[in-house]
Amino acid sequence: HPSHSYIEIDQNGNLTIRNAKNRTEIVDFDYSMYVRANKNVAVDGNDGEKIKGVKKVNASMIYLNSD
């Protein structure tokens, strides 16, 4: 695609979504995600979060690192 945006599913079932500009998701009700293995997020810029309610974190260990 000329904008370098695409959705690809390979023969192994791996899904790749690439969009060249901004991405916005709007969900009018609940949003849940379940990852059966590891989850990694890389942000080259800033990361912000706005929560009007309560944020819960359940983890066996929390490790904070500043490079």
Side-chain angles (χ1 to χ4, degrees):
H1 192 273
S3 71
H4 301 288
S5 296
Y6 58 84
I7 298 174
E8 176 181 276
I9 303 172
D10 70 14
Q11 69 268 13
N12 296 317
N14 295 307
L15 172 66
T16 301
I17 300 173
R18 160 123 192 203
N19 58 294
K21 289 286 188 173
N22 299 321
R23 175 176 170 166
T24 301
E25 289 185 59
I26 298 172
V27 179
D28 287 332
F29 205 64
D30 294 340
Y31 180 97
S32 298
M33 178 188 302
Y34 177 74
V35 179
R36 290 181 60 133
N38 298 318
K39 178 184 173 195
N40 297 293
V41 177
V43 179
D44 285 340
N46 298 321
D47 184 25
E49 200 171 24
K50 181 178 180 180
I51 300 168
K52 289 185 178 182
V54 174
K55 179 171 183 163
K56 298 179 194 177
V57 176
N58 295 314
S60 57
M61 180 174 33
I62 296 176
Y63 176 72
L64 301 176
N65 184 24
S66 178
D67 293 333

